[in-house]
Each structure stands twice: as structure tokens, then as C-alpha cells.
Amino acid sequence: QQQVKQSPQSLIVQKGGIPIINCAYENTAFDYFPWYQQFPGKGPALLIAIRPDVSEKKEGRFTISFNKSAKQFSLHIMDSQPGDSATYFCAASKLGGNEKLTFGTGTRLTIIP
Amino acid sequence: SQTIHQWPATLVQPVGSPLSLECTVEGTSNPNLYWYRQAAGRGLQLLFYSVGIGQISSEVPQNLSASRPQDRQFILSSKKLLLSDSGFYLCAWSADTNQPQHFGDGTRLSIL
């Protein structure tokens, strides 16, 4: 019940396209859903996060869509650039306790010029 | 601003040797601290977390231990490394349990 399933495992998109990465969770108690971006040899960096009281959140070219009834959320990257090439992780947790993020397995995104 | 430091960046150790990885946070007080392991093709697995000095919670039984001797210092240790301990180890901090976690740049540990 603690799993977060992420797909696809890898994704290649042409510059300007809109890569979409999907995640599904099982634990209905989760109420915090962040996305992290990780470049090779670096630690993950928080990109954007959403709470289940909204269905969409945008920050710059990054958008999270959230479907509470389906227990799914996804990351969209508008006007993707080669510099967006990285591994993306979704995660989920329940705020308000000693929070432990449950991570998806990651998506390696490559944006080709 | 807050910063997190991990060292060393890479480490090669023989099987059976001891381990000590250090993580320090600057610019904040009483942070929550976390140790994760990232294996290839897998997500990040939480190993330990700490909400204060001397307070350590272990998430998975294993060959590793953690300590927090000072408010902003978190140490990951092992008395005898196994081949299966190879991986990318990440330290993270958060201001409290309702705040995002921020990661260091990790230590790549290879066991020979």
C-alpha cells in the first residue's frame, strides 16, 4: 500500500514536445505529491509539488495534473528543451507526521534537438 | 541560505571494511535529516531519519547504522561492508515534517 508506480521508465522527446510522466499511488492517506529532477552525479532537486485539494498546478513550463479519484498524478513539461534531460522522480507522503517520502522508480527523460 | 554537504563524493571500499559517510547542513537549526540509498533503476529508499540529536529511526533492517552527534550532522556507518551495500547514498534535510526535503549531491559507494 506504500508503493508509488511510475511510468515510463525512459522517454525520448523532440525539442518543443510535451513529455508526460505518470505516477499512481495506492495509499489514500497520501496528501503531498512532489516531483524531483535529478541530473547525473547530483542529488534530486525539488521541482514542483501538489496537494490533493487542487487538480492542477503550474510553475513555469512544468505542470502537475492530479486525479484524486483515480489516485494518479502526472508531470507535463511544456516546450521541452535539451536542458530538461534528466531523471524525474515522483513521490508521495502524508504530511503531519515524521514524513517519509515514497518514491517512484524514476523516468529518464531525453530531449533531442 | 541553507546548504547541505556530503562527503566524500565517491568511495571505493573492500568487502568487510568499515564505512563512515558524513552529512552536514548549514543555515538552519534542528532540521529533520534523512539518509537514502538509490540503486540503479530503482527509486530512492529511505534508510534512516532523525528529528533531533540522538534520535534515529531505521526504516529497513540492514548492515548500516546512523548517528546524529550534533544538531546539523548526520553520519551513516557500517562496521563491515557487504557487496550489496554498493550504491548512491543521499542525505537530505527538511525544516520540519511539513516542509520539502532537500538533497545533497550524494556519495557513490563501490564495494570491491
Side-chain angles (χ1 to χ4, degrees):
Chain A
Q1 203 180 20
Q2 294 295 321
Q3 280 189 324
V4 175
K5 295 182 180 177
Q6 183 173 348
S7 62
Q9 189 173 10
S10 63
L11 185 58
I12 300 175
V13 173
Q14 208 146 27
K15 178 185 172 183
I18 305 176
I20 300 173
I21 304 171
N22 300 297
C23 286
Y25 63 97
E26 299 172 353
N27 188 344
T28 54
F30 285 153
D31 57 4
Y32 174 66
F33 304 91
W35 284 89
Y36 283 82
Q37 179 188 56
Q38 184 179 29
F39 293 106
K42 297 292 186 181
L46 180 65
L47 192 60
I48 185 173
I50 196 168
R51 298 289 304 277
D53 51 349
V54 296
S55 60
E56 186 176 277
K57 182 174 181 179
K58 289 183 182 180
E59 285 187 8
R61 295 184 293 109
F62 300 91
T63 299
I64 299 180
S65 298
F66 184 80
N67 185 330
K68 187 175 181 179
S69 60
K71 293 187 286 185
Q72 294 175 346
F73 58 109
S74 58
L75 177 70
H76 298 63
I77 305 176
M78 309 302 290
D79 187 28
S80 58
Q81 301 296 315
D84 297 328
S85 298
T87 299
Y88 292 81
F89 291 93
C90 63
S93 74
K94 181 178 179 303
L95 291 178
N98 287 327
E99 269 15 283
K100 311 160 206 180
L101 285 169
T102 299
F103 282 85
T105 51
T107 296
R108 181 173 290 185
L109 174 66
T110 303
I111 307 298
I112 53 177
Chain B
S1 64
Q2 301 88 1
T3 56
I4 180 169
H5 302 280
Q6 277 189 254
W7 67 92
T10 59
L11 187 60
V12 180
Q13 292 282 99
V15 170
S17 63
L19 173 74
S20 180
L21 302 181
E22 190 162 343
C23 171
T24 59
V25 180
E26 296 177 359
T28 187
S29 297
N30 196 31
N32 289 351
L33 296 171
Y34 309 83
W35 277 112
Y36 288 87
R37 177 166 55 206
Q38 184 176 18
R42 298 188 178 183
L44 285 75
Q45 180 187 34
L46 179 65
L47 302 176
F48 302 94
Y49 70 94
S50 171
V51 298
I53 295 174
Q55 300 179 60
I56 309 293
S57 296
S58 173
E59 288 299 297
V60 292
Q62 60 206 313
N63 183 42
L64 302 168
S65 62
S67 61
R68 185 170 177 172
Q70 300 180 43
D71 180 45
R72 290 169 290 171
Q73 184 185 31
F74 206 23
I75 297 172
L76 184 68
S77 304
S78 174
K79 291 182 180 177
K80 276 185 152 182
L81 285 167
L82 306 172
L83 281 174
S84 58
D85 291 325
S86 293
F88 191 46
Y89 289 84
L90 290 155
C91 181
W93 74 274
S94 65
D96 62 43
T97 53
N98 288 326
Q99 296 299 316
Q101 293 183 24
H102 304 277
F103 288 82
D105 283 339
T107 294
R108 176 79 57 192
L109 176 63
S110 299
I111 310 301
L112 303 179

